[in-house]
Amino acid sequence: MSEPEARGAGGRAEGPRGARTSRVAARIERAFRDAGVVGCLAAIDVDDETRRVEVRADEPVVIASVLKVPLLVAFYRQVAAGRIDPAEQVVLRPDERTAGPTGIGMLRDEVRMSLRDLAAMMITISDNAAADALFARIGADTVNAVLDELGLHRTRVPGGCRELFDTLLVDAGVGGMDELWAVLDEPGLLGRLRALDPARTACGTPAEIARLFAAIWRDEAAPPAECAQMRRIFGLQVWPHRLASGFPFDDVRVGGKTGTLPTIRNEAGVVEYPDGGRYAVAVFTRSLSTAAVLPQADAVIGTTARLAVEHLRIPGR
């Protein structure tokens, strides 16, 4: 990754690339370094996108389960266009659905659920089986066409969760995720995993993912009623240990979506203040450690998001 370029609230680079960074960017970089990660961040004022903080915001990154965000947008645009009935029922059988540590994938019996409830499960608990059921209904071409319509040409979703996890196992030559975690330290293995290479998997940039969330909050990613449904679902996400950890206040709302793969910990979403301030933030990190549990790498997402948002909230900045 290249030397960071920080942009202040007015959208002007505070120095050429490779020159001194702004004070907030330096603090964000220090936080990433102290947590043992390489990080990329984009934070923008939802109501004035010229006000932003960026640290490597245009770098291609592995988005992992953040791929479920453009899938959700594509689903609700199809609903709004009358091409999909959100109440349509889907039957998910145990031997057919995508595995996962949470949600439908961990259940033992047949599940019947509506498409809109699958969409909610996909975001609130990052349910892989729910996501792939929607993905099968909508398709990669539709998801990527929506991204193009929104001007997000560097964000791509080539496949669903099952395909992503299958590449991990094939590339590592193992039979399951437990085996994968056990061999991650083998020399050269990480470089062979397509799922960790933004050129060969679901990818985007922090700047584009932040813009996508801003469009949802401004009712521009889909019609207002559908954007309102998406905002409600993002606000119900159950994971508090990343983005939300930076804003532990009763009157500040955080809605977002996490993404996790070996060495990859991400979250993107919107932070809303009681005075009406709304800030879209996307933080993508890659840890230097292959440990499955790395609390400092989770926490730095909230820490850096808070630093960026607090900078944007300074009057006149």
Side-chain angles (χ1 to χ4, degrees), residues 99-113:
T102 59
I104 297 168
M106 64 174 285
L107 303 181
R108 300 179 65 179
D109 298 317
E110 183 175 285
V111 171
R112 183 182 182 90
M113 189 174 288

Side-chain angles (χ1 to χ4, degrees), residues 102-232:
T102 59
I104 297 168
M106 64 174 285
L107 303 181
R108 300 179 65 179
D109 298 317
E110 183 175 285
V111 171
R112 183 182 182 90
M113 189 174 288
S114 70
L115 291 173
R116 63 185 163 205
D117 285 345
L118 289 170
M121 295 280 283
M122 165 179 86
I123 297 299
T124 57
I125 60 171
S126 202
D127 190 322
N128 293 334
D132 279 356
L134 276 186
F135 196 82
R137 184 71 171 77
I138 295 170
D141 289 345
T142 298
V143 175
N144 290 311
V146 166
L147 288 165
D148 284 336
E149 289 172 22
L150 295 173
L152 307 175
H153 304 295
R154 299 183 65 194
T155 302
R156 297 291 96 180
V157 180
C161 300
R162 176 175 295 178
E163 292 154 292
L164 189 154
F165 286 107
D166 282 350
T167 67
L168 279 172
L169 303 183
V170 169
D171 294 345
V174 297
M177 290 301 294
D178 288 343
E179 291 181 61
L180 174 65
W181 284 105
V183 301
L184 283 177
D185 284 332
E186 288 186 0
L189 177 60
L190 292 179
R192 298 200 304 269
L193 301 181
R194 284 168 284 173
L196 305 186
D197 180 356
R200 298 186 291 167
T201 190
C203 66
T205 68
E208 286 200 351
I209 298 299
R211 285 172 52 202
L212 179 57
F213 271 97
I216 295 169
W217 257 252
R218 290 196 306 264
D219 291 337
E220 295 173 359
E226 284 69 32
C227 283
Q229 287 298 317
M230 287 189 274
R231 291 194 295 270
R232 181 185 71 86

Side-chain angles (χ1 to χ4, degrees), residues 62 72 88 96 182 255 280:
V62 172
L72 184 75
E88 177 186 326
E96 298 174 348

